[in-house]
Amino acid sequence: MSMQASFEGRPRDGLNLARAAQARAVRYGSPMLQSLLASREARAFSLIGDETAAKRQLTESMRLAEQGDRGRPSPDWAAFHGHAELDYAQGLLYTETGHHHCAVTFLRAALAHQHRTYGRNRALYRLTLSRSLVHVGEVDEAAHEAVESLVHLEEVESGRVIRRLKEVTGHLKGVDAVSAREAAYRLTEYTELS
């Protein structure tokens, strides 16, 4: 619910929901679950514009993830959370604060570490990486990553991913390069057909 609230533009609600979940999760004794919830809190802080608090919570999330083999395992629904998700969270924090070169490093790492079974996450990671690559002027790679995201979208669709797809399409349309125009055309075609 925290992630959904943040996605819908209600980061303060997202923050409150993440904190409430954190308070309840402590008794389960799962560091990975607590890490996941700390990363949701970091995301909400980032969207609110509190970069210091976002970094603090992301650091806490990483610390908890390092303890993942202690205590209870995380619930099955949280199995996706791990190294790749934390790299992605760090990349998002950098891209939202305009540090796109740093973001690219973490987003590449997130994609490299993400398990193939999480198609939605791989699509989101690729599109977010593409967006940051456009900002740093790596247009050909940005176009490639954007088009590659379509492979994962055949597996699963998500409102968050489609929104990011449209955002990246707009960025690519704004670049005067053949690769960007071709990628924007493919993304637009996908969006219209789906």
Side-chain angles (χ1 to χ4, degrees):
M1 289 172 59
S2 171
M3 185 174 69
Q4 186 68 23
S6 292
F7 170 71
E8 291 173 352
R10 298 179 292 114
R12 290 212 182 275
D13 289 342
L15 178 60
N16 291 335
L17 288 163
R19 285 179 168 170
Q22 277 279 43
R24 294 190 69 170
V26 169
R27 69 176 182 231
Y28 291 106
S30 169
M32 286 304 280
L33 177 59
Q34 290 175 291
S35 171
L36 169 62
L37 297 170
S39 75
R40 296 295 188 248
E41 196 171 333
R43 178 80 178 125
F45 273 127
S46 176
L47 292 170
I48 289 168
D50 190 339
E51 187 177 346
T52 302
K55 286 180 178 177
R56 184 179 60 243
Q57 281 309 110
L58 196 53
T59 299
E60 176 66 4
S61 179
M62 291 175 189
R63 185 190 69 75
L64 288 162
E66 288 173 6
Q67 299 174 12
D69 56 351
R70 299 183 197 137
R72 288 180 165 169
S74 58
D76 290 342
W77 60 264
F80 70 92
H81 184 71
H83 192 65
E85 188 73 7
L86 290 169
D87 283 336
Y88 178 68
Q90 185 73 55
L92 272 180
L93 180 62
Y94 279 126
T95 195
E96 287 167 355
T97 56
H99 300 98
H100 297 288
H101 284 285
C102 293
V104 164
T105 301
F106 282 96
L107 294 169
R108 282 180 178 146
L111 191 56
H113 293 118
Q114 182 55 264
H115 196 277
R116 296 214 172 269
T117 58
Y118 299 113
R120 179 182 60 197
N121 288 2
R122 289 185 67 79
L124 191 59
Y125 292 3
R126 280 191 188 282
L127 289 167
T128 306
L129 173 59
S130 176
R131 181 181 67 181
S132 287
L133 287 165
V134 168
H135 285 292
V136 299
E138 298 290 337
V139 177
D140 291 342
E141 187 181 353
H144 171 77
E145 293 295 345
V147 170
E148 286 296 308
S149 74
L150 298 178
V151 172
H152 307 298
L153 288 176
E154 292 172 4
E155 300 169 26
V156 63
E157 284 195 21
S158 130
R160 218 169 16 131
V161 176
I162 295 300
R163 185 168 122 184
R164 183 65 44 86
L165 179 75
K166 289 177 180 178
E167 180 186 5
V168 169
T169 303
H171 284 301
L172 291 168
K173 284 180 177 178
V175 177
D176 186 21
V178 172
S179 61
R181 282 191 299 274
E182 289 175 355
Y185 174 80
R186 300 244 341 245
L187 299 180
T188 301
E189 185 178 50
Y190 176 86
T191 303
E192 289 172 356
L193 291 174
S194 66

